[in-house]
Amino acid sequence: MIGEETPAAPASRSLVAHVDVNSFFVSAERAFDPSLWGKPVVVLSNNDGCCIARSDEAKALGIPMGMPWFQARQYGRRYGLIARSSNYELYGDMSARVMELLGRFSAWKQVYSIDEAFLGLRCPAEQASMVGRDIRQTVWRGLGMPVGVGIAPSKTLAKLANRLARRSQAWRGVCNWMALTARQQEALLTSLPVNHIWGVASRMKRHLEQVGITTALDLREADPEKMRQHFSVVLMRTILELRGIPAIPLDPPQPPRQQLIFSRSFSTPVTAAAQMRQVMTVYAQQASARLAKHGLQAQHLSAFAQPSAYAGGVTDAWANADPAKNSFGGGGDGGSGEGGGWKTYGPQAPGSVGVRVRLPMPTADPVLLARAAHTLLPRMVEGTRYVRAGIVLTDLTPLGGQQVLELFVNPHERRGIGPLIEQVAHKYGHGLLGLGEAGLREGVVWHMRRDHLSPHYTTNWKELPVVKAG
DNA sequence: GAGAGGTAG
DNA sequence: GATTCTACCTCTC
């Protein structure tokens, strides 16, 4: 099937591989429960509300994305449909593992979503298919999850190729756009409705119909400049991308975030330590949530409080102040004795107080972070009216980057309290559930319904799967 | 700089 | 009885 004609474009340009895990959530569940293979499986949203991921078998039963579980469950009885509550600890961890493996194939990696990444490839177009197969095999052998790979000169075409790879068995999971003849490419683009192109959805489809564009090929042949004027630069880029001209660059590999700041001004000044304690607890939870969202852990926590700024105008100098003009003294009293003080932050309004704490281990756990933040309280000056406070997390490292021995994993982390609070907040709004005095403000404790939860195979030693040999 | 419109996953 | 939800981009005002 592969080209008796010459390839459609020169072989020397750089290529993009788009890799994604098939039915990622389901595949993550299957990786640890092989009994799920070949069966219709769905993963449910928070609170077991509706289906957010479906295996091919479940799709074949006609279960649409987002179908409420109360409707889907009848398939359970009739067709053996299996449901799993979403287990984001597991998915996040599996995702990190996939991305780590993909990183071996290119330093030029853009993690696009929990289950997708773009990789820049610098190899001759003829070799790219082999690389694609290697990627697929590596992830399968390493993690037991199937991935599809699309390879092309642009992101849009790479996504398109990935789609082809998945749709048609003939590709066996890997489609190299450059291995197709120009004629084959045109045939494929003709059969592809324009709204199946990345970045073109139903609205744009309707607009394009009015100017006679219905297929991917129609769009590719449209005049880029005219389309930019009529529609948008986004659409113009898509046209260029369809022509194999990269117009949506790969994000350059980003240096990991150095710090995460959570700070707010108060509506009314805080003077009492008890109140500040509550503020710090809430801020620690917020900061923890943000850390978790970015898959990070912190090694150091700093906490500060500022009194009302009669030293007018200094209040917002916080983030971009000159580190050399540091007005804070030594390290925090709850810290490790590492000293250091406020090296990263600059001049403050007179009366500001701060601490820096080295955490016993890199963590995103709200309980540990709150405990560390509370070391600010003894620093407060009696009678001072504080109008602003915050938490700064530094020395951030990727979550799960290194193995942590069971001895050092604190019990809150094991129970996944951080993610739980986040999920509840997500569902019912922030402030309903919290730690200690940050919680119970409404007098109601909600707990998420997760009746079909799989074990935390990779993030909880107690739930490690057991392999029996022999 | 906020808000609308659009899109992706 | 119930029905994901957020991030991000561009364009406009």
Side-chain angles (χ1 to χ4, degrees):
Chain A
M1 172 168 182
I2 288 172
E4 57 290 323
E5 303 169 42
T6 48
S12 59
R13 279 214 308 270
S14 71
L15 295 172
V16 181
H18 176 258
V19 186
D20 75 345
V21 183
N22 304 346
S23 311
F24 176 58
F25 292 176
V26 170
S27 293
E29 295 287 344
R30 281 176 168 170
F32 290 95
D33 185 355
S35 75
L36 299 178
W37 278 105
K39 297 190 183 143
V41 180
V42 293
V43 172
L44 306 175
S45 63
N46 282 350
N47 238 18
D48 293 347
C50 60
C51 306
I52 53 171
R54 306 158 296 155
S55 70
D56 288 341
E57 298 81 359
K59 289 173 193 167
L61 288 181
I63 295 171
M65 194 63 149
M67 181 186 247
W69 171 236
F70 77 93
Q71 278 173 15
R73 73 189 319 158
Q74 60 184 311
Y75 293 85
R77 305 193 190 97
R78 221 177 307 164
Y79 303 106
L81 177 67
I82 299 166
R84 286 279 185 273
S85 303
S86 42
N87 185 346
Y88 290 106
E89 294 90 342
L90 176 66
Y91 310 149
D93 189 67
M94 291 302 279
S95 174
R97 290 167 195 241
V98 172
M99 300 310 168
E100 195 274 322
L101 287 181
L102 295 184
R104 299 184 188 176
F105 292 88
S106 172
W108 202 18
K109 176 181 81 175
Q110 180 188 352
V111 176
Y112 183 70
S113 72
I114 193 165
D115 74 327
E116 286 177 77
F118 292 102
L119 300 173
L121 299 182
R122 285 206 174 277
C123 65
E126 313 82 64
Q127 280 176 28
S129 310
M130 266 175 45
V131 176
R133 288 192 288 273
D134 194 6
I135 290 172
R136 192 169 142 82
Q137 195 174 63
T138 300
V139 179
W140 176 251
R141 288 194 180 156
L143 297 168
M145 296 199 292
V147 300
V149 184
I151 297 166
S154 68
K155 281 180 165 181
T156 303
L157 283 177
K159 280 209 104 167
L160 200 152
N162 189 316
R163 189 194 163 82
L164 294 174
R166 177 176 313 198
R167 290 303 133 104
S168 139
Q169 288 294 327
W171 298 108
R172 286 186 300 175
V174 179
C175 174
N176 178 5
W177 186 251
M178 302 311 286
L180 303 172
T181 65
R183 192 167 300 171
Q184 288 171 324
Q185 292 177 350
E186 287 195 7
L188 287 166
L189 291 175
T190 305
S191 65
L192 191 71
V194 73
N195 58 315
H196 290 186
I197 298 169
W198 186 39
V200 180
S202 58
R203 297 292 178 99
M204 188 55 73
K205 176 192 169 160
R206 260 185 278 140
H207 291 140
L208 289 173
E209 254 165 23
Q210 316 217 312
V211 290
I213 294 173
T214 58
T215 70
L217 188 70
D218 293 340
L219 186 61
R220 189 185 78 174
E221 302 309 314
D223 179 63
E225 187 51 33
K226 278 186 185 148
M227 297 300 277
R228 186 186 68 78
Q229 286 163 13
H230 273 285
F231 298 100
S232 70
V233 291
V234 181
L235 192 64
M236 183 189 76
R237 286 189 202 131
T238 301
I239 294 170
L240 296 176
E241 289 250 319
L242 286 173
R243 296 176 179 193
I245 303 164
I248 306 172
L250 266 184
D251 285 359
Q254 303 176 18
R257 277 181 82 155
Q258 287 305 298
Q259 60 176 33
L260 188 156
I261 303 182
F262 190 94
S263 81
R264 294 283 186 278
S265 299
F266 309 139
S267 44
T268 42
V270 167
T271 53
Q275 260 184 308
M276 188 64 83
R277 190 183 164 84
Q278 184 169 343
V279 166
M280 284 295 137
T281 306
V282 173
Y283 285 15
Q285 285 171 211
Q286 299 284 334
S288 157
R290 281 205 209 160
L291 270 185
K293 195 172 78 180
H294 294 102
L296 295 169
Q297 302 175 301
Q299 178 76 79
H300 287 96
L301 176 145
S302 303
F304 65 86
Q306 290 174 295
S308 62
Y310 43 81
V314 223
T315 40
D316 263 335
W318 198 257
N320 30 23
D322 178 359
K325 301 182 195 152
N326 163 19
S327 68
F328 277 119
D333 48 11
S336 65
E338 198 193 68
W342 285 83
K343 291 226 169 66
T344 12
Y345 311 106
Q348 293 312 315
S352 289
V353 289
V355 289
R356 174 181 162 93
V357 178
R358 183 189 164 84
L359 297 156
M361 78 203 80
T363 185
D365 176 33
V367 176
L368 284 184
L369 295 180
R371 194 181 300 156
H374 291 162
T375 61
L376 176 70
L377 306 179
R379 296 302 187 90
M380 294 173 67
V381 177
E382 182 121 11
T384 307
R385 293 155 59 83
Y386 294 95
V387 295
R388 182 182 182 87
I391 286 177
V392 183
L393 300 172
T394 51
D395 293 317
L396 308 185
T397 50
L399 195 64
Q402 70 286 338
Q403 300 299 324
V404 182
L405 287 176
E406 166 78 343
L407 278 175
F408 302 124
V409 178
N410 82 74
H412 306 297
E413 245 163 15
R414 273 203 306 252
R415 277 184 265 141
I417 283 178
L420 179 63
I421 289 173
E422 210 14 51
Q423 280 159 359
V424 174
H426 189 70
K427 184 77 185 173
Y428 300 106
H430 284 278
L432 269 174
L433 176 62
L435 298 168
E437 58 276 81
L440 304 182
R441 272 177 293 184
E442 314 291 319
V444 181
V445 179
W446 296 81
H447 66 93
M448 188 164 58
R449 198 183 171 117
R450 296 212 284 184
D451 294 343
H452 312 270
L453 186 61
S454 55
H456 301 78
Y457 299 107
T458 62
T459 51
N460 185 335
W461 288 101
K462 294 234 163 72
E463 296 177 8
L464 275 179
V466 177
V467 178
K468 296 201 172 76

